[in-house]
Amino acid sequence: ASSLLTSGYAMLETKFLPSLRAIYGLRVENYNQKLTSAAGPFENPTKIGIDTTWLDLLPSLNLIYAVNEKTNLRGSYSRTLSRPEFREFAPLAFFDFTRNSIFLGNINLTRARIDNFDLKLEYYPKPGYTFSINPFYKSFTNPIVYILQPAQGYAQITLDNAKSAVTGGVEFEARVGFSESTSNVLKNLTAFGNLAVIYSRVDQSNFKVTQTSVD
């Protein structure tokens, strides 16, 4: 097996107003993945050759607006990818001790495209303190999902591309520094807190499955 990734990108930063700037760009990726594998019954296997090439344009845009000296509002969009691994391609069955099941690769897998949208409000009340709220949304095209197939004995798990999926939610983050404390112990201490509420849904209408989960 082998893979070759060739890529390049261009990025610009523009200040439209004293309080508004944008960072934007485009990344181009050409990815080739090759795999030679045996397939079929152990007694009489056949040889399978996989040679796939994907060319992807991956734009990104970040907008930063300074509401005041202590508050920033950020908005961003980017496209990212999730590519199948070699063993997920290979049509070989092996025992997965974690799931106590037989895992079988799928030579027809394709990469998933992910469109990411983020909005973040940051507040810096004083040095060492940060509070933020970050709503986000992700849209998946051809997400890679696990599929549980009925089988005798051990369960059999394979992979396939679902039609689409979405993930959304909101994240809260806080950072508190104690540098102004009179205590020598506390002044070198920083506390972090993070809470995320996430909702996900997979559209698997392109095939009928027993059970799936997003990879």
Side-chain angles (χ1 to χ4, degrees), residues 102-167:
I102 297 173
F103 183 88
L104 180 65
N106 182 355
I107 63 173
N108 297 313
L109 284 179
T110 186
R111 50 90 176 88
R113 295 191 300 272
I114 310 165
D115 292 300
N116 309 277
F117 302 87
D118 289 87
L119 184 64
K120 189 173 187 179
L121 181 65
E122 301 171 325
Y123 176 55
Y124 308 93
K126 57 183 179 179
Y129 284 69
T130 303
F131 300 97
S132 67
I133 180 171
N134 174 206
F136 61 89
Y137 178 82
K138 299 177 183 290
S139 176
F140 297 75
T141 303
N142 299 322
I144 300 173
V145 298
Y146 288 98
I147 299 179
L148 178 62
Q149 297 178 331
Q152 294 182 349
Y154 290 103
Q156 181 171 290
I157 294 177
T158 186
L159 295 163
D160 208 338
N161 292 103
K163 184 177 181 180
S164 63
V166 295
T167 294

Side-chain angles (χ1 to χ4, degrees), residues 30-92:
N30 187 82
Y31 184 75
N32 175 255
Q33 194 170 34
K34 295 180 180 180
L35 174 71
T36 301
S37 171
F42 181 78
E43 300 82 5
N44 186 27
T46 58
K47 186 176 180 180
I48 297 294
I50 302 170
D51 187 346
T52 60
T53 300
W54 295 307
L55 177 64
D56 291 287
L57 303 179
L58 308 174
S60 66
L61 170 65
N62 289 272
L63 297 173
I64 302 99
Y65 178 69
V67 179
N68 52 50
E69 292 182 354
K70 296 183 178 181
T71 308
N72 283 337
L73 180 62
R74 301 174 182 267
S76 67
Y77 163 77
S78 65
R79 170 168 287 184
T80 54
L81 303 171
S82 175
R83 300 186 178 97
E85 300 176 358
F86 287 121
R87 72 169 188 171
E88 295 174 342
F89 259 137
L92 296 174

Side-chain angles (χ1 to χ4, degrees), residues 185-197:
V185 176
L186 292 178
K187 68 171 50 179
N188 295 320
L189 181 67
T190 301
F192 294 87
N194 179 280
L195 172 66
V197 180

